[in-house]
Amino acid sequence: MVDRDGIAQPWGSRTPYGPGEPWPVRIDSHLADGVDAADVDRWVPTAAVLHSNGDGMELAVKDGRIVGVRGRAEDRVNHGRLDPKDLYGWQANASPDRLTTPLVRRDGRLVESTWDEAMGLVVKRTKELLEEQGPSAIGFHTSGQLFAEEYYTLAAIGHGALGTNHMDGNTRLCTATAAAALKETFGCDGQPASYTDIDHADAIALFGHNMAETQAVLWSRILDRLAGPEPPALLCVDPRRTPVAEAATVHLAPLPGTNLALMNGLLHEVVGNGWIDQDFLDRNTVGYQKLASMVADYPPERVAEICGVGADEIQAAARLVGQAKRLLCTVLQGFYQSHQASAASVQVNNLVLVRGMLGKPGCGVLQMNGQPTAENTRECGADGDLTGFRNWANDSHVAELAELWNLDQIQIPHYSPPTHLMQMLRYLENGSMRMWWVSATNPAVSLPELSRVRSILTQDRVFLVVQDCYLTETAELADVVLPAAMWGEKTGTFTNTDRTVHLSEKAVDPPGEARSDLEILLDYARRMDFRDKDGQPFPSWNDPESAFEAWKRASAGRPCDYTGLSYAKLRVHNGVQWPCNEENPDGTERLYTDGKFFAAPDYCENYGRDLVTGAPMEPTEYRAMNPDGKAMLKVAEYVPPHEPTGEDHPYALITGRTLYHFHTRTKTGRTPQLRDAAPEVWVEMSSADAERHGIAEGDLAEVTSPRGSVRARVRISGIREGVLFLPFHYGYWDTDDPTGSAGGRAANEVTVTDWDPVSKQPLFKTSAAAVTRVETVAGAAPAPTTTASAPNTADGIPPTEGGPAARTEEHATAGGNR
Ligand SMILES: Nc1nc2c(c(=O)[nH]1)N[C@H]1C(S)=C(S)[C@@H](COP(=O)(O)OP(=O)(O)OC[C@H]3O[C@@H](n4cnc5c(=O)[nH]c(N)nc54)[C@H](O)[C@@H]3O)O[C@H]1N2
Ligand SMILES: Nc1nc2c(c(=O)[nH]1)N[C@H]1C(S)=C(S)[C@@H](COP(=O)(O)OP(=O)(O)OC[C@H]3O[C@@H](n4cnc5c(=O)[nH]c(N)nc54)[C@H](O)[C@@H]3O)O[C@H]1N2
Ligand SMILES: [Mo]
C-alpha cells in the first residue's frame, strides 16, 4: 500500500507497461476522516461524474451517508484509479446548502413552497402558453450530466408530447463539435476508437486537449506508457505549457484560432511526403482529390506565419504523425470552442483516414466528450439531435420515432434541425419564446457574454424554471426552482467518451424533498395528462429500469444499439461499450473495423453541411456524393478569427479549466480539498507580456473585452506570448453578489456571442482582450502549481498540496481494503 496526497500528486504512482500489455491495476481510495474500510456498511457501484472519462468506482455507505470512494479494479476504463475530483467530490452531496424544497417567486423573492404548488405553476404556465402561442413558446435547456433514462424521457416529452423543436443542452457549449465532426466524416455520431488504443499506440496526438487536467486518469494511462518500454511519441497542440506539453515529444503552441491552418499544414506535409495509405483511401473514403489539392496551398512557411510557430516545428510534428505505425488522435475544447471548430476537428479525422489509421488497435480518433453523460444527451436526442441518432431530415426516421412513441408523425417537429442553444437565447431575447426549463446546467455562468444572459433571463415575460441541486446563479433568477436529487441518490445509466455504459446505483436518499430528474419529468407528464394515440398515458414508463427498457427499444437497429444490455447484466459486468446487441453481446471495442460505416444515405444521422458556411446539404447532394456510405474527407479553407486582436485589445483571450474544479464549482467549490487547491480566479500571462506592463506575480489586474471585465490576480506562467488565459469556474454563488449583477469575476463576462457555423458551438477560446494592472499585491496568485498554471519560477511560491485531508491510499491489487 502506498499513501499519497491526492492533491499534490494528482496522477499517483507510476505503474509502467509496454505496448500491447494490459494496463496494471492500481486501486485508489479515500475515506472520510475517522472512517475505516472495515466500518463501511455497503459499497455501491457507480462511475465518475465530474468529467467524461467514466472512471469506475464504488461509493462507501455508512449509516445512510456516503463516507468515501474507491476505484473498481475490474473496470475497463480506469483499472481502479481515481483522480482528485473522483476522490473528494462526493462530499458535495451532503453540503448543508443543498436545495431541499421547491421554491417559487413571490413578490420578487424566492420562497419555500411545496411540490404541488411549484409543479402546479409550471403546468399552468405550460397550458397558457400552449393555448396562446403553441409549443414554440416553450424551450428546454438541459445537460451533459443527467442519466440516459432522464434524457430519453425529456426528449419524449419535449419533441413528442409537447411537440416543441426548442430543445438543446449545455452539450452545445461542450461537444456539439465532436458530434458534428463525426457526422461530417462518418455520417453519424459515435466514437470510432477505444481507450485501450492507448495501450497499443506508438504515437498519440492531442489537439487542443489538456488531458492531464481534464481526464486525469486517462492521462495516467499515457504516463504509464511513457514510463514503460517502447513509449509512444506525443504531440501536443496547445498555446499553454500544460502538463501534456511538458511530457510531449513535440509541442506546438499556435496562436488561438489558427487550428485549421495548422491542420491543413500538417496534412500538406503528410500528403506531400506520401505518408498515405492509398489502398485504405480507395476502399473506404470519398473526397481524397479535393483534400490533396486544398492542402497543397498550405506549405509550412505559410502556416508558420499564420500560427506563429516555426516551420521546422510544423515539419517535426508532421513527421511524428506521418511516420507513426499506430497513430491515435484526441481532440477537445482547444479545437471545439473556436471559430472553425468543426472544420479543424474534421481535419483530425482526415489525418487518421489518409494514414489508414482506423479500426485497428492503437489507431483512430477520439473526438472527446467533456461531461460524464454528454454522449447520452446526444444519443437520446435531448439536444439538437433526434432520438437514436435519427436524421431529422429523413421522413422515414421521424416516422419510426412516431411509431415507437405511438404519436402522430406531425406532432414531432422536423421542419428544421432542433433549435440550437444560442438561437433559443435569441428567441427568449426577442420574446418569441416565453418559458425556459433549465435542468442540470448553470447558464448564468457558463454562457458567453453574461451581462446579456442576465438581462435575457431576468425579463418579466420569461418564465424560468430551474431544476438543480443548489441555489445557483441561474436558480437565483428563476420563477420556480425544483430541487433535484443527484448522482449517488438515484439510479440510472450513463455512457462515457469511448461508448462505455455504466450503471450508477442509488446509494443514499436525497436530502429533504429533493426528487430525481426522472421523477420530476414524469410527474410533469402526468400532471399535463399527456396521452398517446390510443389514449394511454405518455410516456408509458414510470421508473429508471422501465425507462431504460424503453430507451433500449428506441436504440434498436441504430448505431448506439443498447438492446444487449440490461440492469441485471450491468450489475454483473459494469462498463460495456455500445453497440451491444445480439451480434455483439459483450459490446464493441472499436467501430469501423470492417470498413463499414453508418453513412449510407438511408441510415446516416445527418446529410452534412458546408464546412465554411454551415449551410446544410440536400439529401440528393449527399446521395450523389456518397452513394455507398463511405467515410467522407471534407475540407475548408482557413479564415482568421472573427474578433482579431488590435490596438485596444491586443491579447488573444482563451478560457478553460483547471484540474481541481468542475465548471461552475457547484460541487468542487463545496469540497474542501478541491476548493482550497484553487480558491479564487486568476489570469495567466507570459513573462514577456507581464514585464511589458510592469506586472509581477500575484498583482491584481483587470482583463477587459468589448463585453465586460474581470479582475484577477496574475500568474506568470508558460503560456505563449500574446495570449491570456482565464479559468471559467468562478461565478458568484459564494460571493456577496450571488446573482453576479455587478459582474467582475466570471470569465464569461468577457467572452463573445458567436459560434461555429457547423456545430453552433460558442467561441469560448477566441476573443480579444486588454489587460491593465490594478494594484500590487504581496504573495503569489491563487493558482495551482501542479498544472498548466504552474509558475515560471518556484521562488517564494508555495506548492499546491492537500495535506492530511487529502490522504489517498493506493493498492496494487484487489486485496487492499476489500
Ligand atoms: N478538471 C476538470 N476536468 C474536466 C472538466 C472540468 O471542468 N474540470 N470539464 C469536463 C468537460 S465538460 C470538458 S468539455 C472537458 C474539457 O477538456 P479540455 O478541452 O482539455 O479543457 P479546456 O481547458 O477547456 O481546454 C483545453 C486546452 O485548449 C487550449 N486552447 C485554447 N485555445 C486554443 C486554440 O486556439 N488552439 C489550441 N490548439 N488549443 C487551445 C487551452 O490552452 C487548454 O489547455 O473537460 C472535462 N473534464
Ligand atoms: N468561458 C468558458 N465558458 C464555458 C466553457 C469554457 O471552456 N470557457 N466550457 C463550456 C463547457 S465545455 C461546458 S460543459 C459548460 C458547463 O456549464 P454548466 O453546465 O453550466 O456547468 P455546471 O457547473 O456543470 O452546471 C451543472 C449544474 O447541474 C447541477 N447538477 C448536478 N447534478 C445534477 C442532477 O443530477 N440533476 C440536476 N437537476 N442538476 C444537477 C449542478 O449543481 C450545476 O448547477 O460550460 C461551458 N462554458
Ligand atoms: Mo464540456
Side-chain angles (χ1 to χ4, degrees), residues 85 210 214 238 240 257 259 333 657-659 661 663 765:
K85 289 190 274 79
N210 184 9
T214 58
D238 194 310
R240 293 191 303 152
N259 296 319
Q333 300 308 353
R657 295 162 166 76
T658 186
L659 174 64
H661 278 301
H663 300 167
K765 289 182 174 43

Side-chain angles (χ1 to χ4, degrees), residues 50-52 83 85 173-175 207-211 213-215 237-240 242 252 254-259 262 332-335 337-338 369-372 654-663 725 728-729 765-766 788:
L50 297 175
H51 48 73
S52 57
D83 79 4
K85 289 190 274 79
L173 314 172
C174 182
T175 48
F207 295 99
H209 181 194
N210 184 9
M211 186 197 283
E213 298 191 51
T214 58
Q215 286 85 18
V237 181
D238 194 310
R240 293 191 303 152
T242 61
L252 298 179
L255 282 166
T258 64
N259 296 319
L262 184 76
L332 235 180
Q333 300 308 353
F335 271 46
Q337 293 175 338
S338 213
N369 293 342
Q371 293 175 90
I654 59 179
T655 63
R657 295 162 166 76
T658 186
L659 174 64
Y660 301 105
H661 278 301
F662 185 65
H663 300 167
F725 174 89
F728 87 104
H729 305 295
K765 289 182 174 43
T766 33

